[in-house]
Amino acid sequence: MKFNSALLTFLLFTSPIQANEFWGLESWMNSLKTPDFTKIKDVNQRKQAFFEYLLPEINKQNEKIVQLRHALKTDNINSFKLQKIYNRYRVKEGDIDTLLMRVDIIPASLILAQGAYESNWGRSRFAKYYHNFFGLWCFEKGCGIVPLKRDKAATHEVAKFSSLDKSVEYYMRSINRNSAYATLRKIRKNKRDKQAHITGLALAEGLENYAEIGYEYVETVQSIIRYNKLSQYDYKS
């Protein structure tokens, strides 16, 4: 994306983003592509716009995982790339069974429901300006945005992403490798072993550690899936 000097000057001095949250003109310009869901007053229209915005990227990331999973199962991958995948998913090299438990799809219904809940249907400032639709945290100083109401003793920041694809990819990788979601992955493997359909409603049972409210979070996500009939979007594999 190219800008002339006059436009650059205008953007730099009229940006609504506070100085301590300004992390690069290019990233900020990319964020403008995110729909302004706050302007959509009709609830049903807002929901539909939200689903239509996230769903193509969710499907794209799941398709990438399906292809990688097939390559791993057929041993159709070079050793250098394989080593990187073991590292990326935090699996001991050579433990292919554990790796396949982690390299697997996440139902779109689950992602859409969590995204809706965590971002208030795309209206949070973290979603609008930083593509963080999932309440993702990071723990190195300067890695993200400091929450306005963060406890004095806390050190976490809300992660920021330069694009939607990076946000969805990171979220899915977090679910697939973080020890907090081991139960979710066991549920998914059980579905695989039984050749059953992998659903968001089933995998939501493994999200108890995603938020401080515990199992109430699971019930809320499942309620969003049911009420909005999101299971229709789950990947058929």
Side-chain angles (χ1 to χ4, degrees):
M1 186 180 295
K2 296 181 179 179
F3 308 100
N4 60 43
S5 58
L7 178 58
L8 285 171
T9 302
F10 172 78
L11 291 171
L12 284 169
F13 288 97
T14 60
S15 168
I17 303 175
Q18 296 178 1
N20 66 334
E21 293 188 358
F22 191 82
W23 57 293
L25 180 60
E26 182 177 359
S27 296
W28 181 70
M29 288 303 297
N30 283 338
S31 75
L32 295 181
K33 298 177 183 177
T34 302
D36 189 351
F37 295 105
T38 60
K39 291 184 178 181
I40 306 176
K41 303 305 180 183
D42 183 88
V43 174
N44 291 328
Q45 290 181 7
R46 184 191 306 129
K47 287 182 176 182
Q48 191 60 36
F50 182 83
F51 299 147
E52 290 177 355
Y53 177 63
L54 264 67
L55 194 57
E57 188 58 42
I58 292 170
N59 290 338
K60 175 183 173 183
Q61 294 298 332
N62 268 326
E63 184 59 35
K64 286 170 61 176
I65 288 175
V66 168
Q67 292 176 4
L68 176 57
R69 183 177 173 83
H70 178 72
L72 291 171
K73 293 177 71 174
T74 58
D75 198 24
N76 187 24
I77 189 168
N78 66 62
S79 58
F80 177 73
K81 185 176 181 180
L82 182 59
Q83 184 181 35
K84 290 180 65 176
I85 294 169
Y86 274 114
N87 291 335
R88 185 180 304 152
Y89 283 89
R90 298 174 183 168
V91 176
K92 181 179 179 182
E93 191 169 348
D95 188 354
I96 189 66
D97 291 336
T98 298
L99 185 61
L100 285 171
M101 278 188 68
R102 299 190 177 194
V103 180
D104 208 340
I105 63 169
I106 299 175
S109 63
L110 186 70
I111 304 176
L112 291 172
Q114 281 196 268
Y117 181 76
E118 296 288 345
S119 72
N120 191 20
W121 295 94
R123 291 176 291 178
S124 73
R125 68 187 180 110
F126 302 117
K128 182 176 181 180
Y129 295 115
Y130 307 106
H131 297 96
N132 189 337
F133 289 84
F134 307 104
L136 297 166
W137 288 3
C138 55
F139 296 91
E140 293 182 7
K141 187 175 182 180
C143 64
I145 309 302
V146 177
L148 297 176
K149 297 181 180 179
R150 187 181 72 175
D151 292 340
K152 292 183 179 180
T155 60
H156 72 276
E157 298 181 10
V158 179
K160 56 189 180 183
F161 303 94
S162 60
S163 60
L164 177 64
D165 65 319
K166 288 181 173 61
S167 175
V168 175
E169 181 182 28
Y170 185 85
Y171 155 84
M172 294 176 73
R173 189 163 67 247
S174 296
I175 294 294
N176 277 333
R177 72 181 185 182
N178 195 312
S179 60
Y181 313 118
T183 298
L184 180 150
R185 296 191 292 271
K186 289 178 181 178
I187 294 170
R188 185 173 59 192
K189 184 179 185 303
N190 182 262
K191 293 288 186 181
R192 285 283 185 202
D193 292 344
K194 294 181 178 179
Q195 297 183 327
H197 184 39
I198 298 173
T199 68
L201 284 172
L203 266 59
E205 291 289 337
L207 288 177
E208 190 168 352
N209 293 323
Y210 200 92
E212 294 179 353
I213 58 176
Y215 196 76
E216 182 182 339
Y217 184 83
V218 172
E219 294 175 325
T220 299
V221 169
Q222 290 176 328
S223 177
I224 294 173
I225 292 173
R226 291 190 182 99
Y227 185 82
N228 294 281
K229 298 179 174 60
L230 298 181
S231 295
Q232 63 180 304
Y233 300 120
D234 284 350
Y235 196 100
K236 305 297 189 298
S237 67

